[in-house]
């Protein structure tokens, strides 16, 4: 890429892959391990220094950098947050340059350290923005653009400027919506966050079709901000490369295949790159050439017939003036760059001095540094705790100025007296220290974790206390974001929730707890957003056993329960459906914080907090054992419908009846030894006759189930309630010919799991719910139904059942 940049070509490199597969690590690196961007910058300036040693006085190299982020279809200049405008920076189209970001600042840089400092500044601004606006870094696109100009004389003695734009793009995570569990959600395509990658895929498909010779194919560049800005990189004037990052985990098999297919399509795209020569220099050169021709004509007297000496003299004077003007313009451009470079050097020296002073200050003054779910954004924000009193909040002039979700104007006060640091939250302020909620004065020690509101997670660095702990021989480990979230979950009772509190927990136990820790902050944030926006809904974490999902084995699944606080209606969302909705909640909250009058959804269908009352909800399951069929004996039972807690939600009348190949029921033929059935044919009907005593909020219900190796579920029709009964009257004939040992083992040892689903009453003001109300009893590892846990903040409810 650098070789092409030296030749004057535009270059682009973008990283594509799912969240956590290593895109940002590849592009930016982490810690001492440098990524592609810092390595490229280092090589660029090393090459410039080498060229300068043998360069002439007329030769000049100019490098400038810009850094932007695209989140929720809005462009943010990461090197100038003062440019933040409602709706983001505008993207315009130039007739020759193509799409560009209006008012995007580019900063002159003169060394690798300078450009690295700018990227760190952009990363710090990105951290502040994502924390304040409750956005998620993994769902944002970051573009670092390096503009490289080379000015020199060619063999004819003419000035030539070669220009190259190097675009380095770190794309957002490319999770597939059908895999992530949002394929059935009415809002899966409603999020603007999903729009850009979806459009990028459509553009690449169209460009691939063009390469294969298909006609009348138009790439939809204009459908998203990302594809507008990548138009040159994808199908225009650029030499482009793509890195596809994949996860080695088997659970990400589908996402890995998707990324590889995407890369395979992208590599077939052909771009047409040309050497970029400055239009101004071309114009000056052409004017000089034309002037020289005219002057030669004047010297030879070839100006043409009819020109007087005065006209010839006037022409010569005019041409000389034009030549002088062009020369002045070139010198002005050159002086402008030199001036920009001097200003950049002065600013950088000032910034380096400030950073040096800050580093020295950090060695002696207690301060807070941030923890972020993205390791690259951890430690980017620092707040010093000066001796005396430091206020925390959103008010201007506050010593520690925070903003965003659940941060009050006067949130807390931190005291630093004689080297002892204490924090005191104000009334109604949410403040956690080491995962425990604080209501009064609390002394802070070195490496204590402090959570202000729901987003601002910090660690206290106390130099004096650190030295004391080291003298006492204590082990001091640097906290991590995951560890901080885990201790919050532990204080809420989520660690050890699987019932196995010993050190010998299984892999499934550990995976389940990891999922709980990941979902916990998002559920807290969703509840806080709902409260601030007055949405009158509440979210709880629930654990659903495999048997409650119609499976015979597996591990519990983390889900989220949505409760309408007005009607009492409840819905159960998969973790990924909730995550998708959470992104849209964050979008809505961002619009609200920006003061947009249309921040609230214009209709309920676009509101991420709203779920229609006629949305299908799981009521419970019934396990029907088929052992009687092995003896060709009829089964007719009324069985309890149990929900994911193990609580009864009604009764289901089920019958399993042996019959002949015509469907006529056999009531007299039976076998004493099931082994006699092997090799013969078996016909039977499964009947679901009725459901009784379902929750009063259920107005219609239906059932679905699978038998043996069925891929698709057999479903009943929807039945309306008549009194306390839902008449289903379903029957289905099954035939197995011949009966095998495996099928006979299934009959004697397994069961058919019938899932009962329903739709709730519309707009009911009744506060009763489909699921039992929360309990404050401690979690139990018993085989019967388990209780709920309500956290100290009242936001988290966990329920599970073990069969």
């Amino acid at each position: 890429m650098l070789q092409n940049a030296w030749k004057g070509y535009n270059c682009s490199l973008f990283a594509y892959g799912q969240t956590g597969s290593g895109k940002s690590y590849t592009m930016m690196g982490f810690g001492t391990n440098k990524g592609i961007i810092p390595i490229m910058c280092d090589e660029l300036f090393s090459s410039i220094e080498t060229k300068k040693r043998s360069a002439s006085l007329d030769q000049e190299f100019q490098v400038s950098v810009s850094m932007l982020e695209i989140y929720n279809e809005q462009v943010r200049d990461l090197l100038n947050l003062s440019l933040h405008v409602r709706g983001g920076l505008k993207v315009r189209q130039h007739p020759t340059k193509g799409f560009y970001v209006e008012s995007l600042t580019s900063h002159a840089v003169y060394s690798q350290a300078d450009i690295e400092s700018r990227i760190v500044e952009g990363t710090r601004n990105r951290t502040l923005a994502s924390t304040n606006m409750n956005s998620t870094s993994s769902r944002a696109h970051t573009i670092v653009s390096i503009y490289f100009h080379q000015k020199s004389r060619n063999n004819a003695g003419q000035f030539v400027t070669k220009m190259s734009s190097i675009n380095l793009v770190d794309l957002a995570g490319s999770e597939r919506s059908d895999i992530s569990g949002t394929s059935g959600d009415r809002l899966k395509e409603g999020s603007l966050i999903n729009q850009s990658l979806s459009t990028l895929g459509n553009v690449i498909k169209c460009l691939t079709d063009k390469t294969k010779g298909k006609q009348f194919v138009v790439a939809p560049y204009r459908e998203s901000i990302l594809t507008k800005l990548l138009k040159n990189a994808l199908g225009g004037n650029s030499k482009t490369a793509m890195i596809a990052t994949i996860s080695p985990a088997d659970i990400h098999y589908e996402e890995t295949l998707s990324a590889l297919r995407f890369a395979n399509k992208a590599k077939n795209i052909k771009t047409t790159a040309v050497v970029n020569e400055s239009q101004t220099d071309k114009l000056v050169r052409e004017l000089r050439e034309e002037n020289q021709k005219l002057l030669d004509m004047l010297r030879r007297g070839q100006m043409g017939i009819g020109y007087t000496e005065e006209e010839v003299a006037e022409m010569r004077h005019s041409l000389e003036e034009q030549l002088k003007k062009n020369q002045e313009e070139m010198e002005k451009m050159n002086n402008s760059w030199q001036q920009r470079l001097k200003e950049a050097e002065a600013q950088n020296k000032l910034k380096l001095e400030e950073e040096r002073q800050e580093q020295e200050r950090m060695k002696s003054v207690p301060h807070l540094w941030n923890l972020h779910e993205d390791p690259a954004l951890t430690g980017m924000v620092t707040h010093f705790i000066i001796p005396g009193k430091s206020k925390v909040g959103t008010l201007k002039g506050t010593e520690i100025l925070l903003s965003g979700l659940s941060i009050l104007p006067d949130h807390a006060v931190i005291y630093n007296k004689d080297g002892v640091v204490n924090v005191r939250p104000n009334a109604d302020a949410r403040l956690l220290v080491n995962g425990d909620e604080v209501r009064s004065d609390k002394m802070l020690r070195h490496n204590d974790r402090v959570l202000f509101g729901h987003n601002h997670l910090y660690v206290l660095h106390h130099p004096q206390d650190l030295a004391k702990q080291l003298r006492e021989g204590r082990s001091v480990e640097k906290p991590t974001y995951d560890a901080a979230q885990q201790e919050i979950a532990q204080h809420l009772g989520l660690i050890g929730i699987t019932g196995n509190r010993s050190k010998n927990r299984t892999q499934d136990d550990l995976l389940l707890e990891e999922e709980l820790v990941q979902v916990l902050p998002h559920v807290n944030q969703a509840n806080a957003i709902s409260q601030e926006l007055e949405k009158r809904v509440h979210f709880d974490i629930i654990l659903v056993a495999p048997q409650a999902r119609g499976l015979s084995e597996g591990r519990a699944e983390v889900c989220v329960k949505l409760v309408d606080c007005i009607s009492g209606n409840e819905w159960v969302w998969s973790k990924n459906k909730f995550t998708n909705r959470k992104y849209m909640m964050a979008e809505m909250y961002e619009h609200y914080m920006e003061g947009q009058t249309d921040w609230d959804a214009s209709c309920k269908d676009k509101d991420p907090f709203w779920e229609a009352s006629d949305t299908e909800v799981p009521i419970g399951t019934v396990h029907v054992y088929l052992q009687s069929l092995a003896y060709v004996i009829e089964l007719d039972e009324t069985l309890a419908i149990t929900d994911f807690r193990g609580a009864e939600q009604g009764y289901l009348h089920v019958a399993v009846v042996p019959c002949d190949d015509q469907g006529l029921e056999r009531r007299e033929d039976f076998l004493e030894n099931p082994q006699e059935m092997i090799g013969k044919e078996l016909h039977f009907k499964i009947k679901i006759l009725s459901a009784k005593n379902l929750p009063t909020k259920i107005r219609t219900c239906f059932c679905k189930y699978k038998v043996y190796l069925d891929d698709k579920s057999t479903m009943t029709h929807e039945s309306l309630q008549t009194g306390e009964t839902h008449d289903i009257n379903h029957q289905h004939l099954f035939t197995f010919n011949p009966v095998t040992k495996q099928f006979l083992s299934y009959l004697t040892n397994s069961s058919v799991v019938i899932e009962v689903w329903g739709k709730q009453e519309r707009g009911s003001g009744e506060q009763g719910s489909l699921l039992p109300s929360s309990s404050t009893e401690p979690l139990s590892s018993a085989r019967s139904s388990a209780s709920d846990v309500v956290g100290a903040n009242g936001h988290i409810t966990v329920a599970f059942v073990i069969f």
Side-chain angles (χ1 to χ4, degrees):
M1 290 188 71
L2 281 179
Q3 289 178 351
N4 289 326
W6 278 102
K7 293 175 183 177
Y9 293 107
N10 289 335
C11 304
S12 298
L13 173 67
F14 58 98
Y16 178 90
Q18 70 178 102
T19 300
S21 60
K23 297 185 305 300
S24 298
Y25 181 81
T26 301
M27 298 297 283
M28 296 291 189
F30 183 70
T32 57
N33 297 322
K34 293 184 177 181
I36 290 175
I37 293 178
I39 291 174
M40 180 176 291
C41 296
D42 195 11
E43 289 292 326
L44 174 61
F45 282 102
S46 296
S47 302
I48 289 174
E49 289 301 319
T50 303
K51 293 271 188 181
K52 279 183 177 179
R53 296 190 188 103
S54 58
S56 63
L57 295 175
D58 294 330
Q59 202 165 2
E60 186 180 79
F61 306 98
Q62 302 176 1
V63 183
S64 56
V65 64
S66 67
M67 188 174 181
L68 64 87
E69 180 181 67
I70 305 172
Y71 182 83
N72 189 21
E73 283 297 285
Q74 295 184 11
V75 180
R76 181 187 294 134
D77 187 347
L78 292 178
L79 297 182
N80 188 1
L81 288 184
S82 62
L83 276 180
H84 178 70
V85 294
R86 198 173 92 177
L89 299 180
K90 301 298 181 184
V91 175
R92 307 292 188 190
Q93 187 172 17
H94 189 275
T96 55
K97 296 179 181 178
F99 291 102
Y100 67 97
V101 179
E102 186 179 50
S103 303
L104 181 67
T105 56
S106 64
H107 297 264
V109 289
Y110 58 88
S111 67
Q112 191 272 338
D114 190 15
I115 199 169
E116 186 175 340
S117 174
R118 292 292 182 184
I119 292 175
V120 169
E121 178 188 351
T123 305
R124 183 181 296 113
N125 291 337
R126 183 179 168 211
T127 307
L128 286 169
S130 67
T131 305
N132 292 340
M133 298 311 297
N134 198 41
S135 59
T136 305
S137 61
S138 64
R139 301 291 288 239
H141 314 287
T142 305
I143 302 178
V144 176
S145 297
I146 300 170
Y147 309 101
F148 179 39
H149 293 189
Q150 309 168 63
K151 287 190 175 182
S152 60
R153 290 182 184 273
N154 60 14
N155 295 332
Q158 301 162 335
F159 271 104
V160 175
T161 298
K162 288 182 180 178
M163 299 179 298
S164 175
S165 175
I166 307 172
N167 295 306
L168 305 165
V169 187
D170 182 9
L171 294 172
S174 60
E175 286 72 25
R176 287 154 45 94
S177 62
D178 54 336
I179 296 299
S180 68
T182 60
S183 56
D185 187 6
R186 61 182 169 81
L187 289 177
K188 73 177 178 112
E189 297 298 336
S191 174
L192 293 175
I193 297 173
N194 297 331
Q195 179 178 318
S196 56
L197 280 178
S198 177
T199 305
L200 177 62
N202 293 337
V203 167
I204 287 182
K205 182 180 183 300
C206 291
L207 294 176
T208 304
D209 290 343
K210 277 188 177 181
T211 304
K212 293 178 180 178
K214 290 187 179 181
Q215 298 180 346
F216 309 111
V217 177
V218 179
Y221 291 109
R222 293 179 175 273
E223 290 185 7
S224 81
I225 297 295
L226 177 68
T227 49
K228 285 180 182 179
L229 296 179
L230 292 182
K231 183 177 180 182
N232 272 340
L234 294 171
N237 177 22
S238 177
K239 289 189 177 283
T240 303
M242 188 188 89
I243 295 173
T245 59
I246 58 177
S247 168
D250 57 354
I251 59 172
H252 297 144
Y253 175 78
E254 292 295 335
E255 287 89 337
T256 296
L257 280 184
S258 176
L260 292 175
R261 291 190 191 103
F262 186 92
N264 189 53
K265 288 181 181 179
K267 74 177 184 180
N268 294 321
I269 298 172
K270 294 181 179 179
T271 59
T272 306
V274 298
V275 174
N276 299 292
E277 193 173 7
S278 171
Q279 299 299 319
T280 303
D281 286 357
K282 286 174 69 177
L283 178 60
V284 172
R285 187 177 72 245
E286 289 170 359
L287 285 172
R288 281 178 172 175
E289 291 173 354
E290 185 66 24
N291 288 348
Q292 188 61 46
K293 288 179 182 179
L294 291 173
L295 288 172
D296 290 343
M297 290 172 64
L298 286 170
R299 291 191 189 101
R300 294 193 298 267
Q302 296 177 356
M303 285 298 295
I305 302 172
Y307 288 100
T308 63
E309 291 184 3
E310 290 81 4
E311 288 173 335
V312 171
E314 185 178 350
M315 226 175 199
R316 181 182 287 112
H317 179 72
S318 176
L319 292 173
E320 289 173 350
E321 285 294 321
Q322 184 65 38
L323 182 62
K324 183 180 178 181
K325 183 178 179 181
N326 290 337
Q327 188 65 31
E328 287 176 352
E329 184 177 351
M330 288 184 63
E331 291 177 358
K332 182 179 178 182
M333 291 173 60
N334 189 54
N335 291 337
S336 175
W337 170 255
Q338 294 295 341
Q339 185 64 30
R340 285 180 64 192
L341 200 58
K342 286 180 181 178
E343 291 175 359
E345 286 187 42
Q347 290 177 2
N348 192 57
K349 287 179 180 178
L350 182 63
K351 188 184 298 180
L352 288 174
E353 178 60 25
E354 290 176 352
E355 289 179 358
R356 187 192 66 80
Q357 292 178 2
E358 184 174 288
Q359 291 294 326
E360 288 297 319
R361 193 180 177 195
M362 289 168 67
K363 294 178 181 179
S364 58
V365 180
H367 57 274
L368 296 169
W369 55 273
N370 76 300
L371 280 176
H372 198 279
E373 62 181 334
D374 186 345
L377 304 185
T378 289
M380 287 293 171
V381 181
T382 303
H383 296 291
F384 286 97
I385 302 174
I386 58 176
K389 184 171 65 173
S390 298
K391 291 184 177 180
V392 181
T394 62
L395 294 176
K396 291 183 179 179
T398 302
E399 287 79 7
I400 300 179
L401 184 64
L402 303 179
S403 62
L405 193 59
S406 299
I407 299 297
L408 303 180
D410 191 9
H411 197 89
V413 179
I414 301 178
Y415 299 93
N416 181 1
K417 184 177 181 181
D418 299 328
V420 178
V421 178
N422 286 273
V423 62
R424 178 192 297 168
N426 291 322
D428 301 324
R430 185 175 192 263
L431 191 146
L432 275 63
V433 175
N434 299 334
D436 196 11
E437 191 161 12
V438 175
R439 289 294 180 188
S440 58
D441 281 24
K442 173 75 175 178
M443 188 176 77
L444 300 179
R445 302 292 303 273
H446 176 71
N447 274 353
D448 277 354
R449 284 72 61 200
V450 185
L451 178 63
F452 300 97
H454 287 90
N455 284 348
H456 294 272
L457 181 58
Y458 289 90
V459 176
L460 174 69
H461 180 87
H462 197 311
Q464 292 77 22
D465 190 38
L466 170 61
K468 180 181 177 181
Q469 292 183 33
L470 292 175
R471 284 195 303 269
E472 294 172 352
R474 297 184 187 180
S475 176
V476 180
E477 295 183 1
K478 191 174 183 179
T480 64
Y481 177 85
D482 290 339
Q485 292 296 342
Q486 189 173 22
E487 70 182 357
I488 293 173
Q490 192 165 11
H491 278 82
L492 293 176
L494 299 188
I495 302 301
I497 198 171
T498 56
N500 186 0
R501 296 178 180 269
S502 67
K503 293 183 179 180
N504 300 321
R505 285 177 291 176
T506 66
Q507 186 69 21
D508 283 347
D509 292 340
L510 296 173
L511 288 172
L512 185 59
E513 289 182 1
E514 184 180 345
E515 279 190 55
L516 285 168
V517 170
Q518 290 174 351
V519 173
L520 173 62
H522 296 288
V523 172
N524 272 330
Q525 291 165 13
N527 279 320
I529 294 174
S530 172
Q531 186 175 1
E532 284 200 28
L533 302 185
E534 297 182 355
K535 287 296 180 179
R536 295 184 175 88
V537 297
H538 183 77
F539 299 93
D540 296 320
I541 295 177
I542 60 174
L543 301 183
V544 183
Q547 292 81 1
R549 306 194 309 270
L551 303 175
S552 58
E553 58 184 14
R555 66 184 180 92
E557 183 177 290
V558 177
C559 296
V560 176
K561 182 179 70 174
L562 166 66
V563 181
D564 187 328
C565 298
I566 297 176
S567 67
N569 285 350
E570 301 181 4
W571 299 265
V572 176
W573 288 352
S574 70
K575 181 189 73 173
N576 293 301
K577 178 177 178 178
F578 165 75
T579 302
N580 188 61
R581 291 289 190 94
K582 165 63 172 47
Y583 289 133
M584 288 179 275
M585 294 173 198
E587 291 173 21
M588 179 178 283
Y589 181 73
E590 185 173 350
H591 296 160
Y592 168 77
M593 290 291 289
E594 290 177 345
Q596 297 187 25
T597 56
D598 58 346
W599 64 266
D600 203 358
S602 57
C603 62
K604 288 289 187 182
D605 286 340
K606 295 182 179 180
D607 189 342
F609 292 93
W610 183 77
E611 194 71 86
S613 60
D614 60 355
T615 300
E616 296 169 357
V617 294
I619 301 173
T621 56
V622 172
H623 292 254
V624 181
Y625 288 91
L626 304 177
Q627 192 173 17
S628 62
L629 271 181
Y631 296 89
V632 197
I633 296 175
E634 177 185 2
L635 170 72
D636 192 328
E637 296 280 356
T638 299
L639 303 171
I641 303 169
T642 55
D643 67 1
F644 60 89
R645 292 184 178 91
E648 290 187 3
Q649 295 295 311
Y651 298 91
L652 194 68
H653 186 184
V654 182
V656 181
V657 183
C659 56
D660 59 22
D661 58 353
Q662 301 298 318
L664 298 176
E665 298 179 3
R666 299 165 52 188
R667 299 184 181 276
E668 298 179 355
D669 299 333
F670 65 90
L671 299 176
E672 293 185 358
N673 185 359
Q675 297 295 325
E676 298 175 18
M677 189 182 297
I678 296 176
K680 299 179 181 179
E681 61 181 359
L682 173 65
H683 310 275
F684 63 91
K685 289 180 181 179
I686 291 183
K687 297 181 178 181
I688 303 177
L689 304 175
S690 63
K692 295 181 179 180
N693 300 333
L694 297 182
T696 56
K697 301 184 73 64
I698 299 298
R699 58 187 177 87
T700 64
C701 76
F702 67 94
C703 303
K704 58 181 179 180
Y705 59 93
K706 293 180 181 178
V707 174
Y708 195 38
L709 301 178
D710 285 351
D711 292 324
K712 294 183 179 180
S713 297
T714 301
M715 299 185 65
T716 72
H717 66 276
E718 278 192 27
S719 65
L720 290 171
Q721 185 175 4
T722 304
E724 294 184 352
T725 303
H726 291 259
D727 292 321
I728 299 175
N729 297 323
H730 162 84
Q731 63 178 11
H732 189 87
L733 176 65
F734 292 89
T735 298
F736 290 89
N737 186 16
V739 172
T740 62
K741 289 183 179 180
Q742 290 81 1
F743 180 67
L744 184 60
S745 175
Y746 168 76
L747 292 180
T748 55
N749 300 309
S750 301
S751 63
V752 171
V753 181
I754 301 177
E755 299 177 52
V756 184
W757 291 71
K759 294 181 180 179
Q760 301 174 87
E761 293 288 351
R762 300 171 188 256
S764 171
E766 191 177 332
Q767 291 303 312
S769 65
L770 170 64
L771 303 174
S773 59
S774 299
S775 167
T776 55
E777 297 175 18
L779 286 166
S780 168
S781 59
R783 295 177 60 85
S784 59
S785 64
S787 306
D788 297 343
V789 167
V790 179
N793 57 6
H795 288 333
I796 302 299
T797 300
V798 180
F800 70 103
V801 58
I802 300 174
F803 289 85

